[in-house]
PDB file of all heavy atoms in Angstrom:
ATOM      1  N   LYS A  43       9.835   3.088  12.067  1.00  0.00           N
ATOM      2  CA  LYS A  43       8.524   3.679  11.764  1.00  0.00           C
ATOM      3  C   LYS A  43       7.430   3.145  12.689  1.00  0.00           C
ATOM      4  O   LYS A  43       7.586   2.095  13.333  1.00  0.00           O
ATOM      5  CB  LYS A  43       8.126   3.409  10.313  1.00  0.00           C
ATOM      6  CG  LYS A  43       8.001   1.921   9.953  1.00  0.00           C
ATOM      7  CD  LYS A  43       6.681   1.270  10.324  1.00  0.00           C
ATOM      8  CE  LYS A  43       6.779  -0.227  10.403  1.00  0.00           C
ATOM      9  NZ  LYS A  43       5.636  -0.960  10.885  1.00  0.00           N
ATOM     10  N   ILE A  45       3.086   2.671  12.227  1.00  0.00           N
ATOM     11  CA  ILE A  45       1.891   2.909  11.408  1.00  0.00           C
ATOM     12  C   ILE A  45       0.859   3.544  12.337  1.00  0.00           C
ATOM     13  O   ILE A  45       0.532   2.989  13.392  1.00  0.00           O
ATOM     14  CB  ILE A  45       1.319   1.599  10.824  1.00  0.00           C
ATOM     15  CG1 ILE A  45       2.410   0.787  10.107  1.00  0.00           C
ATOM     16  CG2 ILE A  45       0.143   1.899   9.896  1.00  0.00           C
ATOM     17  CD1 ILE A  45       2.822   1.235   8.756  1.00  0.00           C
ATOM     18  N   GLU A  49      -2.841  -0.083   8.819  1.00  0.00           N
ATOM     19  CA  GLU A  49      -2.017  -1.244   8.470  1.00  0.00           C
ATOM     20  C   GLU A  49      -2.909  -2.429   8.075  1.00  0.00           C
ATOM     21  O   GLU A  49      -4.089  -2.475   8.408  1.00  0.00           O
ATOM     22  CB  GLU A  49      -1.067  -1.663   9.603  1.00  0.00           C
ATOM     23  CG  GLU A  49      -1.664  -1.896  10.953  1.00  0.00           C
ATOM     24  CD  GLU A  49      -1.714  -0.614  11.756  1.00  0.00           C
ATOM     25  OE1 GLU A  49      -2.750   0.075  11.608  1.00  0.00           O
ATOM     26  OE2 GLU A  49      -0.808  -0.342  12.537  1.00  0.00           O
ATOM     27  N   HIS A  50      -2.324  -3.373   7.416  1.00  0.00           N
ATOM     28  CA  HIS A  50      -2.990  -4.538   6.826  1.00  0.00           C
ATOM     29  C   HIS A  50      -3.900  -4.153   5.667  1.00  0.00           C
ATOM     30  O   HIS A  50      -3.738  -4.675   4.569  1.00  0.00           O
ATOM     31  CB  HIS A  50      -3.776  -5.362   7.866  1.00  0.00           C
ATOM     32  CG  HIS A  50      -2.852  -6.194   8.703  1.00  0.00           C
ATOM     33  ND1 HIS A  50      -2.155  -7.248   8.175  1.00  0.00           N
ATOM     34  CD2 HIS A  50      -2.499  -6.099  10.017  1.00  0.00           C
ATOM     35  CE1 HIS A  50      -1.393  -7.778   9.128  1.00  0.00           C
ATOM     36  NE2 HIS A  50      -1.577  -7.104  10.251  1.00  0.00           N
ATOM     37  N   VAL A  52      -3.768  -1.587   4.003  1.00  0.00           N
ATOM     38  CA  VAL A  52      -2.913  -0.973   2.979  1.00  0.00           C
ATOM     39  C   VAL A  52      -2.379  -2.036   2.007  1.00  0.00           C
ATOM     40  O   VAL A  52      -2.160  -1.763   0.829  1.00  0.00           O
ATOM     41  CB  VAL A  52      -1.764  -0.161   3.660  1.00  0.00           C
ATOM     42  CG1 VAL A  52      -0.780  -1.054   4.397  1.00  0.00           C
ATOM     43  CG2 VAL A  52      -1.016   0.695   2.649  1.00  0.00           C
ATOM     44  N   VAL A  53      -2.215  -3.260   2.496  1.00  0.00           N
ATOM     45  CA  VAL A  53      -1.752  -4.359   1.618  1.00  0.00           C
ATOM     46  C   VAL A  53      -2.836  -4.673   0.578  1.00  0.00           C
ATOM     47  O   VAL A  53      -2.569  -5.220  -0.480  1.00  0.00           O
ATOM     48  CB  VAL A  53      -1.430  -5.619   2.470  1.00  0.00           C
ATOM     49  CG1 VAL A  53      -1.084  -6.819   1.613  1.00  0.00           C
ATOM     50  CG2 VAL A  53      -0.323  -5.335   3.471  1.00  0.00           C
ATOM     51  N   PRO A 170       4.813  -7.298   1.172  1.00  0.00           N
ATOM     52  CA  PRO A 170       4.551  -6.061   1.917  1.00  0.00           C
ATOM     53  C   PRO A 170       4.029  -4.972   0.982  1.00  0.00           C
ATOM     54  O   PRO A 170       4.241  -5.034  -0.229  1.00  0.00           O
ATOM     55  CB  PRO A 170       5.936  -5.684   2.456  1.00  0.00           C
ATOM     56  CG  PRO A 170       6.889  -6.265   1.489  1.00  0.00           C
ATOM     57  CD  PRO A 170       6.254  -7.530   0.969  1.00  0.00           C
ATOM     58  N   SER A 171       3.346  -3.980   1.563  1.00  0.00           N
ATOM     59  CA  SER A 171       2.766  -2.919   0.730  1.00  0.00           C
ATOM     60  C   SER A 171       3.813  -1.913   0.257  1.00  0.00           C
ATOM     61  O   SER A 171       3.602  -1.216  -0.729  1.00  0.00           O
ATOM     62  CB  SER A 171       1.713  -2.156   1.538  1.00  0.00           C
ATOM     63  OG  SER A 171       2.338  -1.494   2.631  1.00  0.00           O
ATOM     64  N   ILE A 173       4.824   0.483   2.472  1.00  0.00           N
ATOM     65  CA  ILE A 173       4.685   1.677   3.334  1.00  0.00           C
ATOM     66  C   ILE A 173       5.886   1.832   4.271  1.00  0.00           C
ATOM     67  O   ILE A 173       6.369   2.938   4.497  1.00  0.00           O
ATOM     68  CB  ILE A 173       3.347   1.641   4.130  1.00  0.00           C
ATOM     69  CG1 ILE A 173       3.107   2.982   4.822  1.00  0.00           C
ATOM     70  CG2 ILE A 173       3.303   0.495   5.138  1.00  0.00           C
ATOM     71  CD1 ILE A 173       1.717   3.135   5.415  1.00  0.00           C
ATOM     72  N   ASP A 174       6.404   0.707   4.784  1.00  0.00           N
ATOM     73  CA  ASP A 174       7.499   0.785   5.768  1.00  0.00           C
ATOM     74  C   ASP A 174       8.757   1.396   5.144  1.00  0.00           C
ATOM     75  O   ASP A 174       9.331   2.336   5.685  1.00  0.00           O
ATOM     76  CB  ASP A 174       7.838  -0.615   6.322  1.00  0.00           C
ATOM     77  CG  ASP A 174       6.721  -1.191   7.188  1.00  0.00           C
ATOM     78  OD1 ASP A 174       5.648  -0.572   7.257  1.00  0.00           O
ATOM     79  OD2 ASP A 174       6.928  -2.259   7.800  1.00  0.00           O
ATOM     80  N   ILE A 218       0.352 -11.028   7.843  1.00  0.00           N
ATOM     81  CA  ILE A 218      -0.224 -10.565   6.561  1.00  0.00           C
ATOM     82  C   ILE A 218      -1.067 -11.696   5.970  1.00  0.00           C
ATOM     83  O   ILE A 218      -2.198 -11.485   5.513  1.00  0.00           O
ATOM     84  CB  ILE A 218       0.881 -10.123   5.562  1.00  0.00           C
ATOM     85  CG1 ILE A 218       1.554  -8.839   6.031  1.00  0.00           C
ATOM     86  CG2 ILE A 218       0.293  -9.914   4.162  1.00  0.00           C
ATOM     87  CD1 ILE A 218       2.668  -8.331   5.107  1.00  0.00           C
ATOM     88  N   GLY A 298       1.707  -1.672  13.148  1.00  0.00           N
ATOM     89  CA  GLY A 298       2.417  -2.642  12.321  1.00  0.00           C
ATOM     90  C   GLY A 298       1.564  -3.893  12.164  1.00  0.00           C
ATOM     91  O   GLY A 298       0.339  -3.822  12.183  1.00  0.00           O
ATOM     92  N   ALA A 299       2.226  -5.025  12.054  1.00  0.00           N
ATOM     93  CA  ALA A 299       1.479  -6.245  11.737  1.00  0.00           C
ATOM     94  C   ALA A 299       0.638  -6.762  12.896  1.00  0.00           C
ATOM     95  O   ALA A 299      -0.334  -7.485  12.695  1.00  0.00           O
ATOM     96  CB  ALA A 299       2.440  -7.327  11.273  1.00  0.00           C
TER      97      ALA A 299
HETATM   98  C1  LIG B  62       3.613  -3.517   8.584  1.00  0.00           C
HETATM   99  O1  LIG B  62       4.324  -2.435   9.156  1.00  0.00           O
HETATM  100  C2  LIG B  62       2.351  -3.009   7.968  1.00  0.00           C
HETATM  101  C3  LIG B  62       1.518  -4.076   7.269  1.00  0.00           C
HETATM  102  O2  LIG B  62       0.405  -3.386   6.707  1.00  0.00           O
HETATM  103  C4  LIG B  62       2.290  -4.771   6.172  1.00  0.00           C
HETATM  104  C5  LIG B  62       2.620  -3.854   5.011  1.00  0.00           C
HETATM  105  O3  LIG B  62       1.918  -2.883   4.767  1.00  0.00           O
HETATM  106  O4  LIG B  62       3.610  -4.161   4.335  1.00  0.00           O
HETATM  107  C6  LIG B  62       0.987  -5.130   8.220  1.00  0.00           C
END
Side-chain angles (χ1 to χ4, degrees):
K43 61 82 200 173
I45 309 283
E49 53 272 89
H50 284 292
V52 67
V53 174
S171 64
I173 190 170
D174 292 7
I218 291 180

